[in-house]
Amino acid sequence: MKSLGFVEVSGVTAAIDALDIMCKSANVTLVSWERKLGGRLVTLIVTGDVSAVKAAVESAEQSCIKKPCATAVIANPHPETVRLAELSAKRLLKNKK
């Protein structure tokens, strides 16, 4: 992973909108998503080149149907940060089975 981008937004519908905006505006891939408080707070994690992730997160901030609660871009993440994102992704895959 070259870069990680995080967008935290209120509501599943707004999260899906934010993800659609990010994927259409830049070459990023969804790593995982986390729902908290019964889906009232959703964090999306995407990966890609630093410039693509920055563009995707900025697009979501500007165009999402709800203003994100928090956003972050981590360029060249530490291996432990990558491991945490991968654990989240594994839980997502495990729940699909």
Side-chain angles (χ1 to χ4, degrees), residues 7-19:
V7 173
E8 189 167 76
V9 67
S10 177
V12 174
T13 302
I16 291 170
D17 181 51
L19 179 61

Side-chain angles (χ1 to χ4, degrees), residues 20 23 41 43 61 66-67 73 86:
D20 186 60
C23 290
L41 195 59
T43 305
E61 280 182 298
K66 282 190 175 180
K67 182 172 175 46
V73 174
E86 289 172 347

Side-chain angles (χ1 to χ4, degrees), residues 18-36:
L19 179 61
D20 186 60
I21 290 166
M22 288 192 291
C23 290
K24 286 178 179 176
S25 65
N27 187 20
V28 295
T29 305
L30 177 67
V31 174
S32 185
W33 69 312
E34 295 283 337
R35 293 180 301 160
K36 300 296 178 195

Side-chain angles (χ1 to χ4, degrees), residues 7 9 17-18 21-22 25 54-71:
V7 173
V9 67
D17 181 51
I21 290 166
M22 288 192 291
S25 65
K54 283 183 181 180
V57 169
E58 288 172 4
S59 292
E61 280 182 298
Q62 294 170 2
S63 302
C64 188
I65 58 174
K66 282 190 175 180
K67 182 172 175 46
C69 304
T71 61

